[in-house]
Amino acid sequence: MRATGSVLDEIVAGVREDLARRQAEMPLDRLRTHLDGAPAPRDPMPHFRAPGSSVIAEVKRKSPSKGALAEIPDPAALAAAYQSGGAAAISVLTEERRFGGSLGDLRAVRAAVDVPVLRKDFIVESYQLVEARAAGADLALLIVAALDDDTLRRLHDEARELGLTVLVETHDEAEVERALGVGAELVGVNSRNLKTLEVDPDTFGRLAPLIPGDVVRVAESGITGLADVERFVGEGADVVLVGEALVRDGDPETAVRTMTGVSRA
């Protein structure tokens, strides 16, 4: 059921190595003690379900497809600008090797904003969900292509038990079916193929009709400006997740504001 021989496999292999190191430094039972000090989780779904487009604005230093995107000396300041622009949530890349992120970035953002924060990473173990919640995350990403059915269901259920809202990411028809099969209420359609890293802007429009109207639809990747937001909203998106275009924009606050509140024709 998983993509094999792909960029995704290479990323996940590195994630598992880094995860093993963190687990050795901080055993799960000790990590769980940090949950007591974590702020109560914020629920993004009312904002996501409100009329007009919602924006998940991303703190993203680099990517496997584009390399370095932007110097972000102060992720908290960038996140604050996103919040001022009306972002419904802030996504923070925490994967180290390919994206240059960290849990430190997530903690800094959490301390700087009041809106919900998403841990965007390649989550393959329960430990990462506990890490996310302990660091103050309100949402966690689960990528269907990286998980078999049993693991996807288990992690989805465990995330919910921790109070996390789960963004379940899909790339094709079979993955949408699998996401809905675990009861996902927030489904992302990523137009970037994780096997090749190529973007097909028609992916969202093809898959969105397969997602029921009571499930919040998130368009991911390939969003460079207002025209793309208008297209995806017209195809059924409730939320757009935008990274590269915002971190490279000289005025991220205004850029977020421009993308927020777009209504279906």
Side-chain angles (χ1 to χ4, degrees), residues 82-151:
Y82 288 159
Q83 177 175 264
S84 296
I90 310 295
S91 171
V92 183
L93 259 301
T94 60
E95 195 277 334
E96 301 173 30
R97 300 188 182 202
R98 299 295 188 99
F99 293 88
S102 69
L103 284 164
D105 283 351
L106 193 153
R107 285 188 285 266
V109 168
R110 169 73 291 151
V113 300
D114 297 320
V115 296
V117 175
L118 163 69
R119 181 185 187 182
K120 191 151 184 242
D121 208 321
F122 297 80
I123 293 176
V124 292
E125 298 288 347
S126 306
Y127 186 93
Q128 294 162 286
L129 296 173
V130 180
E131 279 184 321
R133 188 79 276 280
D138 309 287
L139 303 94
L141 178 73
L142 294 180
I143 301 173
V144 174
L147 303 166
D148 61 40
D149 284 340
D150 289 343
T151 306

Side-chain angles (χ1 to χ4, degrees), residues 1-254:
M1 300 296 287
R2 289 202 308 107
T4 57
S6 65
V7 175
L8 176 60
D9 283 318
E10 296 173 7
I11 294 174
V12 169
V15 164
R16 287 190 179 279
E17 288 180 13
D18 295 338
L19 174 59
R21 172 180 48 79
R22 297 198 304 277
Q23 287 175 311
E25 294 171 354
M26 174 80 72
L28 180 59
D29 56 351
R30 200 161 100 232
L31 178 63
R32 284 189 176 278
T33 65
H34 292 240
L35 293 176
D36 295 336
R42 296 159 171 82
D43 183 2
M45 296 300 278
H47 198 308
F48 289 170
R49 294 185 186 279
S53 58
S54 294
V55 176
I56 301 175
E58 192 155 84
V59 176
K60 184 177 185 179
R61 299 177 185 276
K62 62 181 184 179
S63 75
S65 60
K66 298 287 183 68
L69 298 175
E71 291 292 331
I72 305 177
D74 189 348
L78 177 60
Y82 288 159
Q83 177 175 264
S84 296
I90 310 295
S91 171
V92 183
L93 259 301
T94 60
E95 195 277 334
E96 301 173 30
R97 300 188 182 202
R98 299 295 188 99
F99 293 88
S102 69
L103 284 164
D105 283 351
L106 193 153
R107 285 188 285 266
V109 168
R110 169 73 291 151
V113 300
D114 297 320
V115 296
V117 175
L118 163 69
R119 181 185 187 182
K120 191 151 184 242
D121 208 321
F122 297 80
I123 293 176
V124 292
E125 298 288 347
S126 306
Y127 186 93
Q128 294 162 286
L129 296 173
V130 180
E131 279 184 321
R133 188 79 276 280
D138 309 287
L139 303 94
L141 178 73
L142 294 180
I143 301 173
V144 174
L147 303 166
D148 61 40
D149 284 340
D150 289 343
T151 306
L152 176 62
R153 181 175 297 280
R154 175 175 57 79
L155 292 178
H156 185 270
D157 291 347
E158 290 175 358
R160 297 291 300 273
E161 290 171 6
L162 286 165
L164 291 161
T165 299
V166 188
L167 172 57
V168 183
E169 181 176 292
T170 65
H171 303 82
D172 59 30
E173 290 80 357
E175 290 180 11
V176 170
E177 183 176 352
R178 293 176 61 203
L180 298 175
V182 301
E185 298 179 349
L186 182 64
V187 173
V189 173
N190 192 341
S191 297
R192 188 179 302 281
N193 185 322
L194 291 183
K195 299 176 185 178
T196 65
L197 299 182
E198 295 177 356
V199 173
D200 178 359
D202 295 330
T203 301
F204 183 85
R206 189 178 77 247
L207 300 185
L210 305 178
I211 303 171
D214 61 342
V215 174
V216 173
R217 305 180 183 106
V218 184
E220 304 176 42
S221 294
I223 300 167
T224 61
L226 178 59
D228 296 317
V229 176
E230 290 174 335
R231 172 184 175 171
F232 288 132
V233 169
E235 292 174 343
D238 304 293
V239 183
V240 291
L241 192 156
V242 190
E244 179 183 341
L246 294 180
V247 299
R248 286 183 162 174
D249 194 290
D251 186 356
E253 178 179 337
T254 299

